[in-house]
């Protein structure tokens, strides 16, 4: 039976009831009083507190007392819905649903609040514990008691990670809260305007909406007002919930960062702390229980529910994992197919052997990364997000298996049939097929053994680490030792041909030592495990695998790196001709370097290669030290802390009211001896690059862009300044020098230098004027003050003038601003030969200018200083014009010599099909002195000053 059918009818609709009353107005007043009482039976909600109030849970609007009151309000709304008119009943029913939604929100908020409180308490306790342990290590060092404490803390960190993962669902909960908050905005009758909405409801139901004193209208308006209050409470409640979720997420992030720091501290100091008792008979007795625990289904009972929860909470991550695995396997298959048929593909048939070797090396490394990447990705996915003890154990086991698979896959793909070794390395290995089969079979066993041993070392908090895991590890190391015996034995080993050809005669003679090292390493690890250092052994094996795989991958890719470097250099400089042949080391063969600048570029290339090799060696040493320094903790004693630097940084934090604020935190950074070495290395590299900058600028820029000497010199000075500035900035960063500590010293130095080095500043600004305004060019005869000479060099601070006796005078550039400067142009012993030619647009202007400069240099009469110049003048639609300038000694007919050079240049361009059809007219020659009597009258006998105007006037008079 529908409860709405027994509801009380609308008051006033019963005419007999109205007739029975003596006074209609008193009857309406009774109904108004009755319905007003019924309407107010559902109380208004308690609105959330203001943000400035204290966080007192006894006064919280979500406390249990208010939740119980809300339940009573819900029951009253539902009771009213059972006894009221259908119009008011619908509104009361919806209000009851809103109250029920608020009750659920309050319950979730209280759960979130308790989780935040517990997580924050755990975070504060762990941070305090971390600071105490760090302080004890600093004061007392690593003692056995502290070592055991750190070992226990490591197991606690795993449990803490499991607890944090159960609350780290911020993104899902936040999205759900926002969605529910948006649904509140979609409610049409939200009670914001109760009178208007009541009129709308009554009109839609067919009632007279103009009866403002009607009890039903009053009841509907009151219910709408209460709905508005509950909607506001829900909106504020969802805001509080979202804030709590954000606070919980922030605490989880801080907890994860603190756990990582704590784990790093533990791993750094517990490396040589014994984790188990030495190997004994009790380990043999525990083998049976350990094997039973390995196959016990109760141990992994929480793996399935956790796995399902991971998929349900983050389905996108699970789908991404599946798609990623399929994609990696498909790419691995394609790379392996390309590697096998790399010489038969259309694009690679005409490629050089070095290029094929490059692609083969890259493909080999990619194929070797396929299966390890899949295992590592699975382990990473199991160890993040929602985790349990079983998933953490499986994650560690998958990561260990991925490392071992990586170690096996690199040499296996290198030795495979039709792979890198067969097609691109000129060597015969008669045992290659046997080695490939052996690695395939043994590799699968080692991967399974790594998974099982790691899993058993984690079961029941490492309970079976000393029995099952240790026995399995010893058997595995024996198998590894046998593999090293077959690989490195001095006579008949798998790698004996490789060692003989590529490792040099010294290493080949000492291959017996390599054999002893390969056999001794597994035995050493067995001894460590037997003595109880199982965790130490695990850490050493990880570093050995990473080091070995990195070295093998670098050896495979080294030939490709050299090829790419050579090709990049040739592309940047443009010095290699298309048909230039190269030797086996990918260097231009002797005597075949194209162009007059080829030898200079080759020398520059060798300098840069040396610097790059030094940088690579330094990077390899730093990476190796960073990887192995925790294994040898005493090495840190050789890197003492010289001083400390305090830096003020801004960090985000959550205050007591849940608001994110920025606060200044002082961080202390130690400066050690290694930092000093890095600073010195940075300055050395900056100095070497600044030293090579002119040659680099010539090779990379001047071959493409035409610069005059002023712009070239200014660019070099600016480039050196920037290099030194960057090098000094990085070096100061290494040693802890900050600007706020030296700013006043810098200001004082600048003021002092401003007063003491005024002349140097004037010379610098005078140098800018000389370089850009060009009052004199190289080779011009000028008079500055009382000295006359030719411009030999122009620098930023000084200009060098030379006279006929070979003397050089250094003139400060400020004299070009303060003194009179006379430029006698070409009135001396040099004659300039200007020419202009029109060429086609088939070649780059930089290449044409370089070709014409080399052609001028080859002429015996042309001077090398000043050097010939070739400059692009203008570019047309079909041709481009280039101006060539060369200098010759006085005494020759300059015009006749220019005609000879012009014919030579045009014939050279015509043979290369570069000469344009229409040639421009030649520029006017400078007025030079050619007769002996003119030169005798050129200089005044008393003062040695030029009288060029008189000499020219005399010659014109004779003409």
């Amino acid at each position: 039976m529908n409860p709405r059918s027994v509801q009380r009818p609308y008051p006033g609709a019963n005419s007999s009831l109205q007739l029975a009353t003596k006074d209609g107005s008193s009857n309406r007043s009774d109904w108004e009083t009755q319905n007003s009482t019924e309407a107010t039976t559902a109380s208004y909600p308690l609105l959330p507190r203001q943000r400035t109030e204290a966080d007192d849970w006894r006064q919280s609007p979500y406390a249990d007392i208010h939740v119980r009151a809300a339940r009573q309000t819900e029951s009253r709304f539902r009771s009213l819905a059972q006894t009221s008119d259908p119009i008011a009943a619908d509104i009361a029913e919806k209000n009851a649903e809103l109250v029920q939604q608020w009750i659920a929100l309050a319950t979730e908020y209280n759960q979130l609040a308790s989780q935040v409180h517990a997580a924050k308490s755990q975070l504060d306790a762990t941070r305090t514990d971390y600071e105490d342990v760090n302080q004890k290590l600093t004061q007392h060092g690593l003692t056995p008691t502290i070592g055991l404490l750190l070992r226990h803390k490591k197991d606690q960190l795993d449990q803490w990670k499991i607890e944090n993962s159960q609350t780290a669902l911020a993104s899902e909960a936040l999205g759900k809260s926002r969605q529910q908050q948006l649904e509140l905005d979609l409610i049409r009758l939200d009670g914001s305007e109760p009178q208007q909405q009541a009129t709308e409801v009554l009109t839609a139901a067919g009632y007279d909406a103009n009866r403002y004193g009607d009890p039903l209208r009053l009841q509907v308006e009151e219910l709408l007002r209460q709905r508005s209050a509950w909607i506001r409470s829900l909106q504020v409640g969802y805001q509080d919930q979202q804030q709590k979720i954000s606070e919980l997420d922030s605490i989880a992030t801080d907890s994860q960062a603190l756990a990582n720091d704590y784990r790093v501290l533990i791993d750094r100091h517990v490396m040589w702390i014994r984790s188990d008792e030495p190997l004994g008979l009790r380990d043999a007795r525990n083998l049976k229980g350990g094997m039973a625990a390995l196959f016990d289904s109760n141990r992994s009972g929480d793996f399935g529910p956790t796995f399902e929860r991971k998929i349900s909470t983050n389905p996108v991550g699970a789908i991404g994992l599946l798609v990623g695995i399929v994609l990696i396997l498909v790419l691995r298959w394609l790379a392996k197919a390309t590697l096998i048929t790399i010489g038969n593909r259309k694009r690679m048939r005409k490629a050089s052997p070095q290029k094929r070797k490059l692609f083969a090396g890259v493909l080999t490394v990619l194929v070797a990364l396929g299966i390890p990447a899949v295992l590592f990705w699975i382990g990473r996915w199991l160890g993040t997000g929602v985790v349990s003890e079983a998933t953490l154990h499986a994650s560690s086991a998958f990561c260990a298996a991925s490392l071992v698979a990586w170690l096996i896959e690199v040499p296996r793909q290198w030795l495979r049939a039709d792979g890198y070794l067969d097609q691109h390395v000129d060597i015969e290995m008669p045992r290659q097929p046997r080695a490939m089969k052996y690695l395939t079979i043994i590799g699968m066993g080692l991967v399974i053994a790594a998974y099982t041993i790691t899993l058993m070392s984690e079961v029941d908090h490492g309970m079976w680490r000393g029995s099952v895991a240790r026995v399995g590890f010893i058997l595995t190391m024996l198998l590894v030792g046998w593999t090293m015996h077959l690989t490195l034995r001095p006579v008949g080993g798998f790698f004996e041909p490789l060692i003989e050809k590529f490792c040099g005669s010294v290493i080949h003679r000492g291959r017996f030592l390599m054999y002893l090292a390969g056999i001794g390493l597994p035995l050493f690890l067995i001894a460590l495990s037997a003595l109880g250092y199982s965790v130490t052994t695990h850490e050493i094996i990880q570093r050995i695998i990473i080091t070995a795989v990195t070295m093998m991958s670098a050896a495979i890719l080294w030939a490709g790196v050299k090829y790419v470097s050579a090709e990049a250099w040739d592309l940047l400089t443009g010095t290699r001709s298309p048909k230039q042949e190269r030797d086996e080391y990918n260097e231009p063969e002797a005597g075949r370097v194209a162009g007059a600048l080829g030898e200079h570029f080759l020398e520059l290339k060798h300098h840069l290669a040396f610097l790059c090799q030094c940088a690579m060696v330094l990077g390899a040493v730093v990476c190796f030290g960073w990887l192995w320094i925790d294994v040898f903790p005493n090495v840190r004693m050789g890197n003492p802390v010289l001083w400390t630097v305090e830096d003020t940084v801004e960090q985000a934090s959550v205050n007591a009211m849940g608001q994110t604020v920025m606060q200044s935190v002082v961080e202390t950074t130690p400066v050690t001896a290694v930092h000093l070495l890095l600073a010195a290395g940075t300055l050395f590299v900056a100095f070497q690059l600044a030293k090579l900058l002119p040659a680099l600028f010539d090779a990379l820029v001047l071959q493409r862009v035409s610069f005059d000497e002023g712009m070239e010199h200014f660019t070099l000075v600016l480039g050196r300044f920037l290099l030194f500035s960057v090098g000094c900035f990085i070096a100061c960063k290494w040693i802890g020098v900050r600007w706020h500590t030296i700013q006043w010293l810098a200001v004082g130095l600048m003021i002092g230098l401003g007063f003491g080095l005024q002349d140097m500043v004037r010379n610098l600004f005078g140098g800018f004027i000389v370089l850009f305004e060009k009052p004199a060019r190289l080779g011009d005869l000028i008079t500055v003050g009382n000295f006359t000479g030719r411009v030999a060099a122009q620098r930023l601070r000084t200009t060098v003038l030379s006279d006929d006796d070979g003397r050089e005078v250094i003139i400060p550039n400020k004299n070009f601003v303060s003194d009179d400067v006379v430029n006698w142009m070409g009135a001396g012993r040099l004659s300039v030969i200007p020419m202009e030619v029109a060429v086609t647009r088939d070649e780059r202007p930089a290449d044409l200018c370089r070709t014409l400069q080399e052609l001028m240099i080859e002429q015996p009469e042309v001077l090398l200083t000043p050097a010939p110049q070739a400059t692009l003048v203008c570019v047309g639609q079909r041709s481009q014009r280039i101006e060539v300038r060369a200098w010759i000694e006085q005494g020759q007919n300059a015009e006749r010599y220019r005609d000879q050079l012009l014919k030579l240049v045009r014939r050279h361009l015509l043979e290369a099909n570069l000469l344009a059809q229409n040639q421009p007219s030649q520029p006017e020659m400078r007025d030079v002195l050619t007769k002996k009597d003119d030169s005798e009258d050129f200089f005044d006998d008393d003062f040695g000053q030029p009288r060029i105007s008189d000499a020219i006037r005399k010659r014109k008079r004779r003409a």
Side-chain angles (χ1 to χ4, degrees), residues 587-605:
E587 300 288 351
E589 294 186 359
R592 296 190 180 185
V593 180
L597 300 176
E599 296 181 359
H600 172 67
F601 289 164
L602 187 59
E603 182 180 2
L604 176 62
K605 177 183 176 181

Side-chain angles (χ1 to χ4, degrees), residues 825-839:
M825 302 298 288
R829 298 181 179 180
L830 299 183
S831 297
V832 59
I833 309 296
M835 298 175 291
E836 288 189 4
V837 292
V839 296

Side-chain angles (χ1 to χ4, degrees), residues 697-924:
F697 190 74
D698 186 19
L700 302 180
V701 179
L702 294 182
Q703 302 304 316
R704 292 169 170 79
V705 181
S706 179
F707 278 98
D708 53 23
E709 64 273 10
M711 182 60 70
E712 177 183 351
H713 187 74
F714 173 73
T715 305
L716 291 177
V717 171
L718 182 61
R720 286 183 171 181
F721 174 75
L722 290 178
L723 280 176
F724 274 118
S725 300
V726 173
C728 292
F729 175 77
I730 297 176
C732 291
K733 198 74 174 177
W734 281 119
I735 63 178
V737 177
R738 304 294 187 261
W739 171 249
H740 62 83
T741 59
I742 63 172
Q743 56 183 350
W744 297 114
L745 178 62
V747 171
L749 289 176
M750 292 297 294
I751 295 175
L753 293 177
F755 285 105
L757 301 178
Q758 297 182 18
D759 292 339
M760 182 177 291
V761 175
R762 292 195 186 100
N763 290 331
L764 291 176
F765 281 99
F768 288 123
I769 295 175
V770 171
L771 294 176
F772 288 100
E773 290 189 0
K774 298 180 180 61
R777 296 177 180 271
L778 293 176
D780 287 349
L781 182 66
I782 64 174
T783 298
V784 182
N786 296 327
F787 187 82
T788 301
R790 294 194 177 277
V791 180
Q794 290 178 325
R795 301 186 180 94
L796 189 61
R797 191 176 58 88
T798 59
T799 299
V800 180
L801 302 182
S802 61
D803 59 4
D804 295 336
D805 297 331
R807 296 175 299 181
E808 290 187 351
V809 178
I810 300 176
I811 305 296
N813 285 334
K814 69 175 183 177
N815 294 349
F816 284 85
V817 181
S818 58
D819 297 343
D820 295 332
V821 180
V822 180
N823 191 340
W824 302 103
M825 302 298 288
R829 298 181 179 180
L830 299 183
S831 297
V832 59
I833 309 296
M835 298 175 291
E836 288 189 4
V837 292
V839 296
T840 62
R841 298 184 60 182
D842 297 336
E843 293 290 335
R844 296 186 307 169
D847 297 336
L848 292 172
C849 292
R850 184 170 60 251
T851 301
L852 295 177
Q853 287 177 354
E854 295 175 359
L855 182 62
M856 292 294 102
I857 291 175
E858 294 175 357
Q859 307 308 313
E861 293 83 0
V862 175
L863 299 178
L864 297 180
T865 303
Q869 298 179 358
T871 308
L872 178 66
V873 178
C874 59
V875 179
Q877 294 183 353
R878 298 183 179 179
S879 63
Q880 49 190 350
R881 185 181 301 179
I882 296 178
E883 180 186 12
V884 182
R885 300 170 66 89
W887 282 265
I888 61 174
E889 292 284 351
Q890 182 186 358
Q892 304 183 33
N893 191 334
E895 294 183 356
R896 183 180 301 172
Y897 190 71
R898 183 177 71 171
D899 295 338
Q900 296 177 2
L901 287 180
L902 188 59
K903 292 180 181 179
L904 177 65
V905 170
R906 290 178 177 177
R907 183 170 62 251
H908 179 78
L909 295 174
L910 183 61
E911 292 176 356
N913 295 327
L914 297 176
L915 188 65
Q917 184 176 2
N918 298 324
Q919 292 297 316
S921 58
Q922 299 304 312
E924 295 182 0

Side-chain angles (χ1 to χ4, degrees), residues 182-199:
L182 290 176
E183 290 177 355
L184 293 176
D185 298 333
L186 300 178
I187 298 178
R188 187 174 61 87
L189 300 176
D190 57 354
S192 57
E193 296 179 358
Q195 294 181 356
Q196 181 179 356
Q197 293 179 2
T199 302

Side-chain angles (χ1 to χ4, degrees), residues 128-155:
T128 303
D129 191 29
Y130 173 77
E131 294 175 354
D132 293 342
V133 171
N134 200 2
Q135 185 178 4
K136 290 180 181 178
L137 289 173
T138 304
Q139 294 179 354
H140 308 288
L142 183 62
T143 61
T145 304
I146 297 178
L148 293 176
L149 176 63
L150 291 177
R151 181 72 66 188
H152 178 66
K153 292 296 182 183
K154 188 174 183 179
D155 297 335

Side-chain angles (χ1 to χ4, degrees), residues 623-641:
C623 294
F624 184 83
W626 172 79
L627 183 63
W628 285 91
I629 193 170
D630 292 336
V631 179
F632 306 100
N634 293 330
V635 177
R636 297 182 182 273
M637 299 177 61
N639 183 28
V641 177

